[in-house]
């Protein structure tokens, strides 16, 4: 329940500052996470990025003011953080489909996005099969692509990277390296600092690093491991969402902010279909 309370406090903070400065660092501090991991978790839970949520809420409030006051459009734009009329118009149209001026016409159809609220989901018949294991450091060898702190952009980068690697003969070489647990081909998101964020497609191994590949060591940790049948991106995201909203709040654990691991069956012909697992590092609550 502590995790859900923290998220609710973040939403309260955002609501109080829609017409002012919203610090991602402060929001993350309220959630007791680093800025990067908070944005990542927020995206998994809500299905939208933090920046998009804030934009939707600001444009909802802006629409109300346009319809109920005589304030100038530019004054409302400035109130919600837009110094350029063009930028405000673009943001407003992306949410409502009409210009700010048109929104003042009675009968104009607009979109209202209410504040998000968090609660434990009780879904009859949908158990979460999991196991908890403590593992020593895991050394992986493979290839990587750079990510950044923009969660919206990252959600596009990883799938494109997978598609590219699966068509590359190098993928078969990565598969042949696997000789340690977790047995399979791994997709690993690793954050070290804002300038060092990477997504790896790699094998857990003690073999030497082949030319053209890199190695990375995942720290020793306690892992909660969920099963995931299928290869669709939505399956992985669904597990993270259920972990954060259903499993974590009553588990007695906290998210450990370590690399997240996707484990796929070895398939040298390419592809990620079949039985897969998601490994999420946790730690006991203080």
């Amino acid at each position: 329940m502590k995790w859900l309370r923290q998220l609710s406090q973040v939403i309260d903070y955002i609501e109080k500052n829609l017409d002012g400065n919203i610090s991602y660092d402060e929001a993350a501090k309220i959630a007791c996470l680093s800025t990067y991991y908070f944005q990542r978790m927020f995206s998994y839970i809500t299905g939208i990025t933090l920046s998009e949520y804030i934009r939707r809420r600001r444009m909802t409030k802006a629409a109300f003011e346009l319809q109920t006051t005589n304030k100038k459009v530019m004054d409302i734009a400035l109130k919600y953080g837009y110094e350029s009329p063009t930028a405000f118009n673009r943001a407003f149209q992306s949410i409502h489909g009409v210009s700010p001026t048109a929104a003042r016409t009675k009968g104009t159809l607009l979109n209202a996005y209410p504040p998000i609220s968090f609660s434990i989901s009780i879904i009859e018949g949908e158990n979460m099969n999991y196991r908890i294991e403590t593992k020593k450091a895991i050394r992986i060898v493979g290839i990587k692509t750079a990510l950044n702190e923009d969660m919206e952009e990252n959600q596009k980068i990883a799938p494109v990277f997978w598609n590219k690697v699966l068509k590359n003969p190098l993928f078969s070489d990565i598969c042949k390296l696997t000789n340690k647990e977790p047995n399979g081909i791994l997709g690993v998101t690793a954050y070290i600092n804002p300038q060092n964020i990477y997504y790896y497609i790699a094998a857990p191994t003690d073999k030497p690093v082949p030319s053209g590949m890199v190695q990375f060591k995942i720290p020793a940790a306690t892992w909660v491991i969920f099963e995931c049948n299928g290869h669709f991106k939505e399956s992985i995201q669904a597990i993270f969402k259920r972990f954060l909203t259903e499993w974590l709040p009553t588990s007695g654990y906290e998210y450990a902010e370590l690399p997240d691991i996707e484990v796929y069956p070895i398939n040298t012909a390419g592809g990620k279909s079949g039985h897969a697992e998601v490994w999420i590092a946790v730690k006991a609550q203080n």
Side-chain angles (χ1 to χ4, degrees), residues 14-22 51 53-69 71-85 87-89 91-92 95-96 100 104:
I14 292 173
E15 286 299 304
K16 291 175 181 177
N17 292 279
L18 287 174
D19 58 354
N21 178 55
I22 296 176
S51 61
Y53 173 73
I54 293 171
R55 180 162 53 246
R56 290 183 183 185
R57 286 297 300 140
R58 280 177 165 160
M59 292 305 98
T60 294
K61 300 282 280 187
F64 288 152
E65 291 201 30
L66 285 166
Q67 290 188 316
T68 60
T69 73
K71 292 180 181 178
K72 295 179 180 179
V73 171
M74 194 59 221
D75 289 340
I76 295 175
L78 289 169
K79 179 177 180 179
Y80 291 104
Y82 292 85
E83 297 183 359
S84 160
F88 179 65
N89 186 70
F92 195 90
I95 301 302
H96 299 288
R104 285 194 146 141

Side-chain angles (χ1 to χ4, degrees), residues 139-143 174 177 200-210 213-216:
R139 175 181 177 267
I140 61 174
V141 173
I143 54 180
I174 296 173
L177 290 172
Y200 293 81
I201 296 177
T205 184
D206 59 5
K207 295 180 181 180
V209 181
M213 297 191 196
V214 296
Q215 66 177 342
F216 178 75

Side-chain angles (χ1 to χ4, degrees), residues 198-228:
Y198 289 97
Y199 184 86
Y200 293 81
I201 296 177
T205 184
D206 59 5
K207 295 180 181 180
V209 181
S211 176
M213 297 191 196
V214 296
Q215 66 177 342
F216 178 75
K217 182 174 285 188
I218 301 170
T222 297
W223 303 90
V224 55
I225 303 168
F226 298 97
E227 296 181 354
C228 171

Side-chain angles (χ1 to χ4, degrees), residues 155-172:
Q155 289 173 0
K156 301 174 184 177
I157 293 173
V160 171
F161 185 50
W162 265 110
N163 290 335
K164 180 180 177 181
V165 173
L166 289 173
K167 297 174 183 177
N168 192 315
L170 197 61
F171 180 73
S172 179

